[in-house]
Amino acid sequence: MDISPIHSLKKILEDKTKKIVLVSHVNPDGDAVGSSLGFYLFLKNDLHENVVSILPGGFPSFLAWLPGADSIIIADKEKEKACSALENADIVFCLDFNDTDRTAVLADSFKKTKGIKILIDHHPDPKDQFDFRISTTQVSSTAELIYEVILGMNKQHLIDLDVAQCLYTGIVTDTGSFSYACNYPRTYYIIGHFMNLGLNGEQIHRQIYDTYSEDRLRLLGHSLSKNLKVLEEYHAAYIFLYASDLENFNYQEGDSEGIVNYALSIKGIHLAAIFIEREDQVKISFRSEGEVNVNVLARKYYRGGGHKNAAGGSSKKSLDSIMNEFEDILKEISKDDFRLLKDV
């Protein structure tokens, strides 16, 4: 990774009075929230006077325990406040996304802001929308990259337990509890540092993964017993949820998190998807194993993107038509063991 942008960043951050805004992507996951809050708390520890963290929409309740979570501005609830902060910022940190379209209601304010736009992200193929980029795919998560940025500025002494808990949450969720994207020895060195600060990994795991509501658990059961389709001939499986399903199980933000992984856990399945019908679009998530590149699938067909083995997108079409189209796509891409996803 080129560390020269980190040296430039250190100089930019010498003025503690500058207005700093941190932004992450719509439908934020653990890495989006964890990296944002970890960097927010670090900047506070570094005595920056004007720091604001903004998310385009709400985040899952199982992340509400994170230090600093109550300070986040949710743009779709406080749009005027969020847009004003973004448009008047001196520095805008763009965390865990590489295309400003991923910021939903904030996208227009990105075009208006005169602040320096700094990307810190681990997704492939970043857009040319930022003043400079700290970007690499050779880390587990944006949270891990935030750690490296802090060290690169020689500010590691400002990583306290609160910062560590946020960054660890980003790492543990973006690796599926260390089940994918986790073959980097450096990742475990960083976790060791966090443990030395007093981080309790078992407790954090319980707070993230063992706080299901009854409705969320019943939604999972319904998804697997009624709405799972396995296509053995294509080594693929998908789950679908209609808006009525979400209503029947009192859906809350984050209740569908991780469900797609159950489809991928079936023996012989190399590609899994979940399609979730929302008010104005269908949200889509993909998971895969090995060389099956679902980032290509998401970018080509669903206005999305992500990582090789974890990506997502959306569509304005009806859920039924999307599922029919998906099966047609599978017929093509599964030829010669998903060669079309491997060759791109």
Side-chain angles (χ1 to χ4, degrees):
M1 182 178 70
D2 180 11
I3 64 171
S4 57
I6 300 178
H7 294 155
S8 300
L9 177 58
K10 186 176 181 180
K11 291 182 179 180
I12 291 171
L13 291 175
E14 287 177 353
D15 185 350
K16 309 291 187 182
T17 66
K18 288 189 176 182
K19 295 189 290 291
I20 300 174
V21 170
L22 314 178
V23 180
S24 195
H25 58 78
V26 70
N27 300 316
D29 54 9
D31 193 24
V33 180
S35 59
S36 294
L37 286 176
F39 201 48
Y40 169 85
L41 294 171
F42 157 75
L43 290 170
K44 286 290 191 180
N45 288 347
D46 202 23
L47 303 180
H48 286 272
E49 299 173 8
N50 300 301
V51 188
V52 173
S53 179
I54 301 174
L55 292 173
F59 55 88
S61 60
F62 57 79
L63 299 172
W65 62 273
L66 282 168
D70 57 355
S71 68
I72 296 174
I73 297 174
I74 305 301
D76 63 9
K77 293 182 179 179
E78 299 182 272
K79 185 175 181 180
E80 184 176 344
K81 182 178 181 180
C83 292
S84 176
L86 179 55
E87 291 169 20
N88 292 292
D90 297 310
I91 305 169
V92 179
F93 284 101
C94 308
L95 308 179
D96 201 42
F97 68 93
N98 58 18
D99 183 344
T100 56
D101 285 347
R102 293 277 288 138
T103 62
V105 298
L106 295 171
D108 286 341
S109 291
F110 262 102
K111 297 174 184 177
K112 297 176 183 178
T113 186
K114 296 180 181 178
I116 300 171
K117 293 185 283 295
I118 302 170
L119 176 69
I120 304 179
D121 181 55
H122 73 134
H123 294 88
D125 307 317
K127 298 281 188 178
D128 188 21
Q129 301 168 329
F130 311 95
D131 294 300
F132 68 85
R133 304 181 297 202
I134 301 172
S135 177
T136 178
T137 60
Q138 298 303 305
V139 291
S140 68
S141 53
T142 296
E144 181 174 333
L145 188 53
I146 293 289
Y147 177 93
E148 299 291 10
V149 168
I150 294 172
L151 262 64
M153 294 190 293
N154 295 316
K155 302 274 190 177
Q156 55 265 37
H157 58 285
L158 298 177
I159 299 176
D160 59 14
L161 180 56
D162 284 349
V163 173
Q165 288 178 321
C166 295
L167 298 183
Y168 178 82
T169 296
I171 293 172
V172 76
T173 54
D174 237 33
T175 60
S177 290
F178 307 105
S179 62
Y180 49 82
C182 58
N183 286 325
Y184 305 111
R186 179 69 173 171
T187 304
Y188 299 93
Y189 170 86
I190 293 168
I191 292 167
H193 180 187
F194 294 160
M195 296 293 181
N196 285 330
L197 292 172
L199 183 139
N200 187 328
E202 294 177 6
Q203 183 182 50
I204 290 177
H205 188 279
R206 288 194 297 271
Q207 288 172 304
I208 296 172
Y209 297 108
D210 297 339
T211 58
Y212 276 35
S213 65
E214 180 181 344
D215 285 328
R216 183 181 177 190
L217 195 62
R218 291 188 182 280
L219 176 65
L220 171 61
H222 176 78
S223 301
L224 300 181
S225 64
K226 302 293 186 181
N227 293 15
L228 167 66
K229 187 163 185 180
V230 179
L231 303 165
E232 293 183 1
E233 66 272 34
Y234 306 134
H235 301 285
Y238 66 88
I239 294 167
F240 55 93
L241 290 170
Y242 289 100
S244 58
D245 293 322
L246 305 185
E247 183 178 357
N248 290 339
F249 292 97
N250 301 308
Y251 180 85
Q252 302 296 314
E253 198 70 44
D255 280 357
S256 59
E257 190 80 18
I259 291 179
V260 65
N261 295 320
Y262 287 90
L264 189 62
S265 70
I266 301 170
K267 184 177 181 180
I269 297 302
H270 305 314
L271 188 158
I274 186 169
F275 303 96
I276 304 173
E277 187 178 52
R278 307 300 288 267
E279 289 183 3
D280 59 345
Q281 63 182 347
V282 173
K283 179 186 174 185
I284 306 164
S285 294
F286 298 107
R287 297 292 184 271
S288 67
E289 63 175 26
E291 295 303 311
V292 181
N293 191 335
V294 289
N295 179 44
V296 174
L297 180 64
R299 289 166 66 93
K300 184 173 181 179
Y301 297 102
Y302 300 103
R303 303 179 303 164
H307 303 286
K308 178 181 175 181
N309 298 124
S314 63
S315 175
K316 296 286 188 179
K317 297 179 181 179
S318 72
L319 178 54
D320 289 330
S321 65
I322 291 170
M323 291 189 290
N324 289 333
E325 284 183 353
F326 181 63
E327 292 195 25
D328 289 338
I329 293 169
L330 284 175
K331 292 177 185 178
E332 185 64 26
I333 66 174
S334 63
K335 293 176 181 177
D336 295 332
D337 193 20
F338 298 102
R339 64 174 175 81
L340 294 182
L341 296 187
K342 290 180 179 181
D343 293 344
V344 177

